Amino acid sequence: MYRIGVDVGGTNTDGVLIDLTKTDDPLTRGVVASFKHETTVNVTDGIESAVRRVLADAGVDPRDGKVLSLTIGTTHFINAVVQSDARRLEKVAVIRLGAPYTKEVPSFVDFPDNLKLLMNGHTALIKGGLHIDGRAISEIDEAEVLAQATEIKAKGLKNVVIIGVFSPLDVSGDNEYKVRDILRKELGDVANIVCSRDVGQVGFLERENASILNASITSFAQHTIRGFERAMVRLGLTCPLYITQNDGTLTSAADAARLPIRTFSSGATNSMRGASHLAGIDLKKKDGTGKSMLVADVGGTTTDVGMLLPSGFPRQAAAFIEVFSMPDVNSIGLGGGSRVRVEGSKVLVGPDSVGHYVSTESIGLTRDAKVFGGSVLTATDIAARAGEKNIGDSTLVADITQDTVEKAQAVMKKLLEGVVDRMKTTPEDITLLLVGGGSVIAPNSLRGVKEIILPPYHSVANAVGAAIANVSGEIDTIEILQGKSLDATLERIKREAIEKAADAGADPETTRIAEINVLPVQYVTNQATRIIIKAIGELGAPQEGQFKAASPLTISDDQSPTPEDVFVEPLHEALAAAASAVEHIDYETYKPSVVDKIWDLSETDLFFIMEGCGILGTVRRGGSPYPTFLMCRQILRNGGSIKMVDHTSLADDALIARGALMGSPSVSNERMCGAEMLLMASDALAKYVGVKAFAATICDEIGGGNGMRSLLMAHYRNVPCLDGDLMGRAYPNLQQVLPCVYGRPNALTPLSLSDGDGNTLVLAATKTKYGPEYYMRHVTTLMGSSAAFCPAPLKVADTRDFGVPRTMSQAWWIGRAIAMCRQKNDLQSVPSEILKLQNGKCLFIGKIVGVSREVRAGFTWGEVKIARLQDDELEDSSGESGMEYGPDAHMIIPFQNENICAYVEKPDGSRSVAAIVPDLINVIDSQSGSHLGTQAYSYGLRVTVIVMAGSPLWNTEEGLTMGGPPAFGLDHPYVPVGEYITPKSVIEEYGS
């Protein structure tokens, strides 16, 4: 019995035929025929050629029933999105369930203009949705749904996305599926209706965007799958057709046509799975235990490196865990076609490649490389000159000097060692599986690698991965564990995952649990916990009638033109106009608009402030500033304005409104709440204290997501935002605002809280300064674990004397510095540019080699360990690391939601304090210049640790008690890193 695997890449289309009775043979792993050729313009033709060739080479008759399955991995669908292909992308109607939430961040809000023009057909927000604990926000109103169906039909749209707040937790399907059924009756079977819970997991905006992309490409996916099916008919194949998914498992052809987005990044996964199979890893560890190993797929232009887990599946990218599975792959510009340049005594390799010259790298390589008769010196030429056999004509590279060969090999070795180290999760040496047609350029040994395995048929590993792909069943849910047993809950979800895999076609005898993730939700008191469990099993033999019910596709009655035949020239012209309309801004010469001491914020200003709030947050307290940035940006795009003033423009006794969000960032990122919720809380408080008007708004903490929420309030209250805040940073508790630290009257109470859905309360007073945090944290949990809170208004004099003036300006200057460095491709200068703005120092440049964390009482505790980079790991080998510590020293940073201390640890285990709160200790991603929150700490990340001086109001007995070492249980003296510099006012600097 046989299985066929085909993988369509940008360069080559590979096909293999595997004999299932010979998969235990370590020499062939069941591969009886393989074929590689250049990818054709018409992808289906290339697939048909590959299948026909492997069947012929093996002498297998496709009509005798011995071929059990054809599995295809393709980049066809993602290419249509990347290329903004108007022939293949269609307009989409988006219906959100969850009113009143999410309306301040409309659908398509962060789409590029060209894709928005192509896809945005209709948007609406109606009742429905869930809270994090499963309670309904509001019940579905059928009349609202019917009204939407009428509008969608009138606009001639057939692709619809339904997305409900926390819909992935809707196990009963009462929300999205109910709306889907109503729409189906009105719109008919011609409509492609996508429910977001079928596409992704928790993370509203990400799940919605993925669902929109999926819906827009659905018709094209159906055309493509029909083309595959027609090819099977021409080949005489009667077996089921499968498509590989991003996580390395299979989906049926019908499901791939319904959810094509799950196939977008399957190529890298296929390579890793194929490498594991060809190397016989499953034969050595049948029980699924063992250690992780790396897979490097060396192609013509790039090398893709991923981590293969003991489960036999690739490690998933953390950035996508909120939405859907995507492999964690790191790519570098090194491949067989990489150009080699000799510049004096220096030799450079890549990142450009001869593959860019034509549509396929293989043609460019075999035409342009010297060993094939061309004139371009490439990495493949170096390999041929070094003695690799069976590569072109070796006499054509005989003139390459040995010095050039050795230096080029050293560069390639360093590039590979760097990407290997970034992908490792422990300091120990690791096994590397090497695959891909360009693997001849790789050295025989690498630092940090104990063994390099080059398996048989390594050049077609991706097609092998497609042929042997498993079936999975995944359950991703949030459970409220208060009063429940975690063990019993896990056992129940394990059973559900196994049943789901079996329903998808897995052989029950081989199905097992592959992954278990238990992720406590922060800032909640009801033990809300996200649990993700995946079961996998081998594909079972097709059963009679098993696939008929799942497949609505037909291959004979659809004679409509293919997407490539549709004339769309006017739309292409519109797309070109949209692309040319994108404004390029030189960040170095950009000047904000300040007139009469009033700063009128632009989108660029908002972007700078967002980046700066991330840095000043030190751990992204209050969540990421990005959603609030989108809300503010939308205000400007809708014709509104957001203004800012300095405290010198206001009377000392003028009242300032305050407001922020309290609760779990996981909830605020799903419900996407903003100004409306804040205004409800603010109005209730204003009524209670008898205030009819405010002079301005201010944020309690400049760091993280709350840093920009005063900008939202300012617009909707039609007042400016005050340039400053009440912390100068971010802290985890309400009582850690400076007016409360210094015992100012009404520093916190009366305090209002609102869930934005009609539930608002006012806390008049508490016995101690710790009361508001205790009571409001519990009420916030009852409100769905996210609520807006507005502490008592303050006079301008109090915000000036017991706050930190001009921190909005400080955020702007920091964000500007980061943006300028990015624009100049000078990311290594980010720390020094930031430290030109505030006294401090660069403490450490290195890579994370250890991290531990746990959630206790709603807060994240743990520590991160950072090792110094070796000289040959520095991108600029002539540069210094900026540290006075020895080469074997480590930096240890403990955190309790906040980076609270930075220790230098010597080889003998002794520690010394390098920095401590209330100074701001920041861990910056060396490769992007952005701040890293504790949730993003992971082994191998290149980071830079800086410390900045905190406000002098924290360097007093009162300040240190509430925000210094004693507040976090540390028995260390506080030694300031330097004298705090009052930030330079943007208003004064650019005022006319």
Side-chain angles (χ1 to χ4, degrees), residues 696-728:
T697 64
I698 194 171
C699 56
D700 274 29
E701 56 183 0
I702 188 65
N706 278 330
M708 298 186 73
R709 291 194 172 103
S710 58
L711 300 176
L712 288 175
M713 285 188 68
H715 168 76
Y716 287 104
R717 287 227 166 269
N718 197 28
V719 297
C721 173
L722 191 61
D723 186 1
D725 80 306
L726 303 179
M727 284 188 188

Side-chain angles (χ1 to χ4, degrees), residues 791-938:
L794 294 174
K795 293 182 178 180
V796 169
D798 272 337
T799 65
R800 178 192 64 220
D801 299 338
F802 299 97
V804 188
R806 299 173 176 172
T807 47
M808 281 287 187
S809 285
Q810 185 176 30
W812 186 91
W813 289 110
I814 291 173
R816 175 179 179 266
I818 295 171
M820 285 169 54
C821 288
R822 287 192 189 129
Q823 202 164 62
K824 296 175 182 178
N825 293 317
D826 185 20
L827 292 176
Q828 64 181 351
S829 294
V830 167
S832 60
E833 292 301 314
I834 292 175
L835 293 174
K836 289 178 182 177
L837 304 170
Q838 184 56 261
N839 276 331
K841 65 185 297 187
C842 180
L843 295 177
F844 215 82
I845 299 174
K847 62 183 178 184
I848 295 177
V849 295
V851 60
S852 62
R853 59 171 69 87
E854 62 175 315
V855 175
R856 301 201 306 262
F859 297 99
T860 300
W861 300 66
E863 71 174 29
V864 60
K865 185 176 184 179
I866 305 167
R868 180 174 176 174
L869 291 178
Q870 302 302 311
D871 289 342
D872 62 352
E873 292 181 296
L874 295 169
E875 292 193 16
D876 180 2
S877 58
S878 64
E880 295 295 329
S881 62
M883 300 175 291
E884 66 268 27
Y885 318 116
D888 297 323
H890 290 80
M891 178 149 282
I892 309 294
I893 302 177
F895 51 84
Q896 181 206 326
N897 276 42
E898 165 79 19
N899 292 328
I900 58 179
C901 188
Y903 296 105
V904 175
E905 185 177 76
K906 296 181 179 179
D908 61 5
S910 61
R911 291 183 176 185
S912 60
V913 176
I916 198 165
V917 287
D919 286 340
L920 284 74
I921 302 166
N922 217 296
V923 180
I924 298 174
D925 182 348
S926 299
Q927 294 174 297
S928 72
S930 292
H931 163 72
L932 285 174
T934 57
Q935 76 283 354
Y937 294 163
S938 62

Side-chain angles (χ1 to χ4, degrees), residues 8-23:
V8 183
T11 304
N12 291 309
T13 295
D14 301 336
V16 297
L17 183 70
I18 291 183
D19 185 340
L20 298 180
T21 65
K22 299 179 180 179
T23 55

